[in-house]
Amino acid sequence: MAQVPQTFLDGLAVRTWCGLALRALGRARAEIDAINVYPVADGDTGTNLYLTVESAATAVEAVFAGYETQPGYATQPAGPTLADAVRAMAHGALIGARGNSGTILAQLLRGMAQVLAADGAQPRCDGPALRLALRRAADSARQAVAHPVEGTVLTVASAAADAAERTDGDCGTVARAAHEGARAALAATPAQLGVLARAGVVDAGGSGLVAVLGALVEACTGETVDTEPDRAAATPNALPDLDPDPGPDLAPEAGPDPEAGPAPEADADTGACAAEDGGPAFEVIYLLEADDTAVARLRTRLDALGDSLVVVGGDGLWNVHVHVDDAGAAVEAGVEAGRPYRIRITHFGLGDVHTGGPRPPRERAQRAVVAVVPGQGLAELYTEAGATTVLARPGEPPASGELLAAVRRAHAREVVLLPNDAELRDTAAAAAEQARTEGVRVALIPTRSAVQGIAALAVSEPGRRFDEDVVQMTSAAGATRYGEVVVAEHRSWTTAGICQAGDVLGLIDGDVAVIGADVTTTAETVLDRMLQAGGELVTLVIGDEAPETVAAHLETRVRESYLAVDTAVYRGGHQGALLLIGVE
């Protein structure tokens, strides 16, 4: 009788797990969004989980890419270890976590990494190690939530760990048990949260976790599993006595659960308390560099300010999530604790569950433009021109899920997508493909710079046929040469020679053409070279870090040296590059 091979988890399997989890959440995203009912029925739990896992997967891919570029890899490939991969996965999830459920998922992955990447840990994870990792994950996530309540993703995670602890065997066997335990717990969540029972749904965050655990089973065994809730496992005694036809009296807004009494309900993602008759107006999320003592004080301060408080992380880096009425106070508390950054403040808006009643359906527009922009100044310019924007902060390229969310936000039948960065083309293509499956007609114009996007936007005419408009926009973008002026961060080889850290680099169409010491002089040289082939309009986008006089100097240069060439100047804000130049 042939022996069944033992399954295990190593660095490559973690990479596979991330990819499978991302695909699983991509398939389930819309369904999970639809069952996100409390406390803010804004339908984003599936999207938030997808973006969180996308960030984790990107971090793992970056680690593998680093190994693949090492000398000798082609002849003796040695990829990342299990510890390398799980640390990257946890860190990527932490810095990219979105919303309540995404933040908790980041802590679940961090808890697993604390076991699998600990000093002395085995290079391969076996069944006993996975049991310990799942238990640490569930316990650490529960500790991260200020007021945990059963019937949430925390319950599902604990059930997965409990089922794993009752199982002997290899990694695949333990992962399968954890997944089945999670499915059973997910099916029972309506019995634990009245708001879920009244809406007739299971917990959204828990549903996403079941999908992630299903991907873990597949990564370990190669077998696909059912990610639907195991409703048969939810015994009749565990379920509330509900009328099979609840009618309007059991709608989510009908009032408090008669079995729950007058106490506040719980957040369907975090278990944090929130009164049904209203709640905080803002969601505040930021990364925070701070020590443990300062974070402990911050927890107390934020808990007094609002609800849905989740603080995850450690070792000096934290992800903070809270719902508050005073967003400024929540950010100020972070400043007092350490250095907050990547601050995101979302107003829940008129018409959500905090302010009473569902938002009325908005008429879908015929056409919209969605553009990635590198600075707040350009975001305002694009918005004034009618585009929906995605802000790309320096060093933080948007994920495909963010572009997809912007396409949905545009709420149009036809969408033109402008990535404005050559490196974002594949990301934009993935977002466009997903949007097409949702019935949106999407055209991706491969703009490589924001100045090409400006040119495309300038010729757009919504009254034209879609195909004709796309052709005209593509032609305008392609006819625009683009340049930029940046400061070198380190010594490196370029197409113009060797540059040193601190040198000023002038790029034309993506390649370094000039290495200089002065911003204005380098910019002038770049502009002259770009205008050698002719041009009718020069577009200058000035960054916050550029010298005050550079725009005026270049305008004068164009006016005095190039007849019949116009100049348009815009303020880009904190956009990474000192200067963007377009010539068309």
Side-chain angles (χ1 to χ4, degrees):
M1 181 175 177
Q3 187 176 14
V4 178
Q6 296 291 299
T7 59
F8 55 85
L9 198 65
D10 59 5
L12 185 59
V14 170
R15 183 189 200 182
T16 302
W17 178 24
C18 287
L20 291 171
L22 190 62
R23 286 194 286 275
L25 288 170
R27 292 191 299 268
R29 180 203 53 74
E31 181 180 347
I32 296 173
D33 280 348
I35 64 174
N36 173 203
V37 298
Y38 195 84
V40 182
D42 50 359
D44 64 354
T45 292
T47 300
N48 286 337
L49 287 168
Y50 179 88
L51 292 174
T52 302
V53 172
E54 185 176 46
S55 181
T58 299
V60 172
E61 289 300 322
V63 170
F64 272 84
Y67 272 81
E68 290 165 3
T69 59
Q70 291 181 358
Y73 179 85
T75 55
Q76 288 187 320
T81 64
L82 172 63
D84 292 333
V86 295
R87 285 195 193 103
M89 176 181 66
H91 181 74
L94 177 67
I95 64 174
R98 301 297 180 88
N100 294 349
S101 292
T103 307
I104 290 176
L105 179 60
Q107 188 67 9
L108 288 167
L109 296 179
R110 177 178 170 80
M112 292 187 70
Q114 287 174 331
V115 172
L116 301 181
D119 291 340
Q122 297 298 314
R124 292 179 173 182
C125 169
D126 56 13
L130 183 57
R131 288 200 300 267
L132 288 175
L134 290 168
R135 172 51 61 196
R136 175 70 66 84
D139 291 348
S140 64
R142 189 170 288 268
Q143 292 164 5
V145 175
H147 302 288
V149 172
E150 299 310 321
T152 67
V153 63
L154 299 176
T155 304
V156 177
S158 294
D162 292 343
E165 287 179 336
R166 294 191 296 267
T167 303
D168 292 323
D170 61 10
C171 231
T173 303
V174 172
R176 191 179 292 106
H179 175 254
E180 289 302 319
R183 286 182 64 218
L186 177 63
T189 54
Q192 298 168 301
L193 274 179
V195 67
L196 299 178
R198 291 195 303 277
V201 298
V202 295
D203 178 65
S207 184
L209 179 57
V210 168
V212 172
L213 289 173
L216 177 60
V217 175
E218 188 174 354
C220 290
T221 67
E223 302 171 5
T224 57
V225 294
D226 187 358
T227 57
E228 290 296 311
D230 185 0
R231 301 190 187 279
T235 63
N237 292 334
L239 293 172
D241 184 16
L242 296 177
D243 185 334
D245 181 15
D249 290 339
L250 289 181
E253 66 274 15
D257 180 0
E259 295 188 7
E265 292 283 7
D267 180 332
D269 285 337
T270 68
C273 292
E276 282 199 317
D277 59 354
F282 297 96
E283 178 185 58
V284 178
I285 305 175
Y286 50 79
L287 292 179
L288 177 70
E289 293 178 357
D291 59 36
D292 292 0
T293 303
V295 169
R297 291 195 300 268
L298 176 66
R299 288 180 191 269
T300 302
R301 173 85 179 275
L302 292 179
D303 195 23
L305 286 174
D307 61 29
S308 297
L309 173 61
V310 186
V311 181
V312 304
D315 300 323
L317 181 61
W318 309 82
N319 191 308
V320 179
H321 172 281
V322 68
H323 293 176
V324 293
D325 279 321
D326 189 344
V331 175
E332 181 182 347
V335 173
E336 293 175 358
R339 187 179 79 88
Y341 60 103
R342 292 198 192 181
I343 300 168
R344 292 185 176 90
I345 300 174
T346 303
H347 192 289
F348 290 126
L350 187 64
D352 60 31
V353 296
H354 286 329
T355 54
R359 191 178 282 108
R362 180 162 58 99
E363 181 68 24
R364 187 177 290 273
Q366 180 60 34
R367 189 174 306 163
V369 175
V370 173
V372 180
V373 291
Q376 189 59 47
L378 277 175
E380 293 172 0
L381 174 67
Y382 272 74
T383 301
E384 289 174 2
T388 298
T389 60
V390 178
L391 190 61
R393 298 173 180 85
E396 301 177 36
S400 64
E402 292 177 85
L403 301 188
L404 179 59
V407 171
R408 296 193 189 109
R409 196 166 66 247
H411 201 60
R413 297 181 181 88
E414 301 167 340
V415 172
V416 178
L417 187 53
L418 305 175
N420 291 341
D421 186 334
E423 295 185 0
L424 286 178
R425 182 170 181 172
D426 290 342
T427 301
E433 186 62 32
Q434 178 61 36
R436 292 184 188 112
T437 67
E438 299 176 7
V440 181
R441 189 180 185 189
V442 182
L444 170 60
I445 298 178
T447 49
R448 295 174 288 176
S449 171
V451 292
Q452 288 189 323
I454 292 172
L457 199 56
V459 301
S460 177
E461 292 185 12
R464 270 196 301 239
R465 289 180 55 250
F466 184 63
D467 291 341
E468 293 177 359
D469 205 30
V470 170
V471 168
Q472 292 300 318
M473 294 176 71
T474 303
S475 177
T480 302
R481 300 191 69 194
Y482 65 97
E484 60 183 294
V485 177
V486 299
V487 175
E489 295 181 357
H490 48 75
R491 185 178 187 272
S492 63
W493 288 89
T494 76
T495 51
I498 300 175
C499 71
Q500 306 295 330
D503 283 349
V504 180
L505 306 181
L507 288 79
I508 299 176
D509 294 335
D511 294 324
V512 177
V514 182
I515 300 175
D518 177 74
V519 173
T520 301
T521 303
T522 303
E524 182 179 314
T525 303
V526 169
L527 181 59
D528 285 341
R529 292 191 184 182
M530 294 177 70
L531 284 170
Q532 283 176 356
E536 298 175 356
L537 175 65
V538 171
T539 300
L540 304 175
V541 183
I542 313 298
D544 283 347
E545 294 79 17
E548 291 282 341
T549 59
V550 67
H553 179 87
L554 295 177
E555 283 186 282
T556 301
R557 175 69 177 176
V558 171
R559 186 171 59 252
E560 294 179 350
S561 303
Y562 300 95
L563 297 177
V565 177
D566 295 324
T567 305
V569 180
Y570 305 102
R571 290 287 168 182
H574 186 55
Q575 61 183 21
L578 299 174
L579 174 68
L580 300 177
I581 304 173
V583 174
E584 52 184 296

